[in-house]
Amino acid sequence: MSDMSRIDLSSCKKIDKNLQTNIIRLCIDEISYNNFYWRFIKQNWPAILTNVSNEWECSHTWISSKLGADATINFVFLKDKIEDCLVPVTICSDKSVSSELSFYDFLNKWEKYIQSSDSDEDCNFPYLKDWHLKSQLPYYEFYHIPKHFSSDWLNEFLTENGLDDYRFVYMGPKNTCRTPFHVDVFGSFSWSVNVYGCKKWILLPAGEELKLLDQFKKLPSKINEEALRKSNVAFFVIYQQKNEAIFVPSGWYHQVYNITDTISVNHNWFNAVNIRYIWCNVSENLRKVMNEISDLKNFHNFYEQCQQILHADFGLNICEFLDILCFIAKKRLFMIEKSRGNANNGNIQCLSSMMFHLNDFHICYDLKNIYTLLKTMTQDKIVYNCKELYKKCITFISLLDQYSHQMSESTSCL
Ligand SMILES: O=C(O)CCC(=O)C(=O)O
Ligand SMILES: [Fe+2]
């Protein structure tokens, strides 16, 4: 992205609770970063933003729009632009099975499927999911992160450290499959933009899924509206159209179905707002692992073993989680330090990897949330008993203590 946007966050204004009972569609230009942050992200409430991807490169090149005709997928361009490679696909029939397929084979199959105009449900058709196209082609700017979703500590940490990120492309042939009923990785937020086509989302407010637990405390992999109504479950149905972004809050279970052929860009992410929830999930999962292999607890490397299993099963262990917090804290502190002595105090510039400038309120808000979470972590038995983790927390707490004055003073409203 060549243009750098400013991300201006200011103190929370009182939220009108009445606005939060339905799912609202808002044009992206009609809601400021600040309002979106407090009204939806902080309230953990879904929203649809419209007019999000009209200007994206992929909206023009991956799709052919001929005057007077329906837009179609430009298979020729896709093959021209992207070299053949293996892509992750899922076959959605009964249990989701994941494998890999050549991208060109996938496109050829898809093109044939469209030409056959067979609209029957075909659950054996591959669904291209969780493709790391952006990290595969970092210089290909086929989309831009909407600024409303740009406070993303997870991908900021991962991309700047050359690690596997959570930025994906999905390509789903119509009526083929659904993404099963699930909650997102670590309990993260997700945002997803339809570049092409229409998806049907069924979204459950966090906690409603508990009404669906069976006698073995298992959740179903598939849901439908009738069954949800029978179980007295509150839910929302959203038809997401082209150029629309959906914000999926933390801990909200959902199922997604491709009503038409679809192409979407999806990110998973967390930030100051849901970091405490992510911590609860990581630590709860560690406790589960410790219980599961408790017969090995007298081995000298029991703790390391648990962390390894947690990383493999959950995707994130406590050391990695703490690394993310400390990385973000260090970056934010660096910018405060850099701007010291700078008369323009309301405008500390913090260039995140996403190329957005954070104002000083945002930086201090991020730091305050890291600070209080680190304090909570030091009181956790697992952290307290691990010398290395405990020491790292304490070091960062005392570092942040030196900035407590600055953190409490930051009140800029922009
Ligand atoms: O688009 C899909 O099929 C699934 C997307 C999803 O689950 C998400 O973005 O959280
Ligand atoms: Fe999801």
Side-chain angles (χ1 to χ4, degrees):
M1 185 186 292
S2 49
D3 265 355
M4 284 177 248
S5 304
R6 284 172 52 83
I7 296 303
D8 294 333
L9 191 63
S10 58
S11 307
C12 178
K13 311 251 166 30
K14 219 171 165 302
I15 309 285
D16 181 354
K17 286 271 178 214
N18 296 327
L19 285 175
Q20 310 288 124
T21 51
N22 223 325
I23 297 184
I24 301 172
R25 261 191 169 74
L26 289 161
C27 174
I28 193 156
D29 300 324
E30 280 167 9
I31 184 158
S32 66
Y33 176 83
N34 190 59
N35 278 345
F36 189 80
Y37 195 95
W38 297 121
R39 226 173 112 185
F40 298 103
I41 299 179
K42 176 74 174 145
Q43 297 289 316
N44 208 42
W45 195 260
I48 302 271
L49 291 175
T50 64
N51 280 341
V52 174
S53 54
N54 315 38
E55 306 295 325
W56 290 4
E57 193 265 358
C58 61
S59 296
H60 298 280
T61 58
W62 297 8
I63 314 298
S64 315
S65 312
K66 288 193 193 97
L67 211 67
D70 286 343
T72 52
I73 298 162
N74 192 338
F75 290 100
V76 174
F77 179 87
L78 282 167
K79 282 191 206 157
D80 227 39
K81 184 72 193 180
I82 303 166
E83 252 181 57
D84 197 14
C85 57
L86 287 176
V87 290
V89 293
T90 304
I91 309 286
C92 308
S93 55
D94 58 79
K95 270 245 166 293
S96 291
V97 179
S98 300
S99 60
E100 285 187 320
L101 192 66
S102 123
F103 181 45
Y104 290 5
D105 283 353
F106 171 78
L107 291 180
N108 292 339
K109 245 176 170 301
W110 193 6
E111 203 172 1
K112 259 198 209 137
Y113 182 70
I114 292 172
Q115 281 157 5
S116 76
S117 71
D118 185 359
S119 60
D120 288 346
E121 205 159 308
D122 179 358
C123 288
N124 290 314
F125 204 94
Y127 183 13
L128 197 169
K129 285 182 82 170
D130 295 343
W131 183 19
H132 294 263
L133 179 61
K134 184 64 197 165
S135 62
Q136 198 174 317
L137 298 176
Y139 298 108
Y140 180 27
E141 298 195 335
F142 57 98
Y143 73 102
H144 296 311
I145 296 163
K147 82 169 172 188
H148 301 75
F149 306 130
S150 63
S151 179
D152 172 350
W153 297 1
L154 177 65
N155 290 301
E156 184 172 343
F157 170 81
L158 296 172
T159 55
E160 290 183 32
N161 289 286
L163 298 165
D164 255 4
D165 58 21
Y166 287 86
R167 302 176 299 169
F168 308 111
V169 166
Y170 281 46
M171 296 190 177
K174 92 165 168 189
N175 286 343
T176 49
C177 33
R178 65 194 81 230
T179 291
F181 187 55
H182 70 284
V183 71
D184 282 346
V185 61
F186 323 133
S188 59
F189 299 130
S190 77
W191 64 259
S192 163
V193 172
N194 270 6
V195 176
Y196 183 78
C198 172
K199 286 182 198 242
K200 176 181 176 180
W201 293 72
I202 302 181
L203 274 180
L204 275 60
E208 284 297 304
E209 75 285 355
L210 298 175
K211 297 176 184 166
L212 297 170
L213 287 171
D214 67 11
Q215 53 179 329
F216 306 108
K217 295 217 174 328
K218 286 243 175 281
L219 284 170
S221 62
K222 242 187 199 179
I223 52 164
N224 64 61
E225 285 134 281
E226 203 187 308
L228 291 178
R229 273 191 282 269
K230 265 195 193 144
S231 306
N232 225 358
V233 173
F235 66 96
F236 295 100
V237 175
I238 296 161
Y239 287 88
Q240 181 196 18
Q241 309 292 345
K242 183 174 180 225
N243 289 330
E244 292 187 338
I246 183 167
F247 164 61
V248 182
S250 261
W252 282 54
Y253 273 76
H254 49 283
Q255 177 175 287
V256 189
Y257 188 77
N258 292 315
I259 298 285
T260 68
D261 293 303
T262 58
I263 298 181
S264 67
V265 174
N266 307 43
H267 281 205
N268 283 106
W269 48 300
F270 53 71
N271 62 25
V273 168
N274 59 346
I275 194 70
R276 185 168 283 271
Y277 179 64
I278 307 290
W279 161 249
C280 291
N281 283 336
V282 183
S283 53
E284 192 186 309
N285 274 277
L286 178 60
R287 273 175 244 282
K288 276 189 198 151
V289 171
M290 288 168 95
N291 272 337
E292 270 161 27
I293 60 164
S294 59
D295 45 333
L296 303 177
K297 72 168 175 270
N298 292 328
F299 281 77
H300 72 282
N301 64 347
F302 175 67
Y303 179 75
E304 284 77 23
Q305 289 282 321
C306 290
Q307 292 289 344
Q308 273 176 25
I309 295 172
L310 186 62
H311 174 88
D313 284 2
F314 187 65
L316 187 67
N317 63 33
I318 307 248
C319 308
E320 292 158 340
F321 178 80
L322 187 56
D323 280 349
I324 298 176
L325 286 188
C326 295
F327 177 82
I328 297 295
K330 253 198 233 163
K331 275 188 75 181
R332 305 296 185 263
L333 286 175
F334 177 74
M335 298 317 295
I336 288 190
E337 210 40 67
K338 224 175 131 190
S339 73
R340 269 207 171 148
N342 179 348
N344 185 8
N345 220 16
N347 186 20
I348 298 172
Q349 303 262 290
C350 177
L351 191 58
S352 78
S353 60
M354 310 304 174
M355 304 295 266
F356 289 97
H357 286 301
L358 309 184
N359 73 347
D360 69 333
F361 183 90
H362 208 323
I363 293 171
C364 291
Y365 184 76
D366 284 358
L367 286 172
K368 269 187 233 172
N369 279 281
I370 294 174
Y371 182 71
T372 50
L373 181 55
L374 286 173
K375 283 197 157 171
T376 306
M377 287 172 70
T378 56
Q379 282 151 26
D380 186 285
K381 232 168 100 188
I382 296 169
V383 175
Y384 187 77
N385 288 329
C386 174
K387 243 193 200 159
E388 214 179 296
L389 287 181
Y390 187 74
K391 201 172 146 208
K392 193 163 176 176
C393 288
I394 292 295
T395 308
F396 270 83
I397 289 170
S398 33
L399 190 61
L400 289 166
D401 266 332
Q402 296 167 33
Y403 293 84
S404 57
H405 182 61
Q406 187 130 3
M407 283 196 264
S408 59
E409 255 192 354
S410 151
T411 52
S412 78
C413 293
L414 290 149

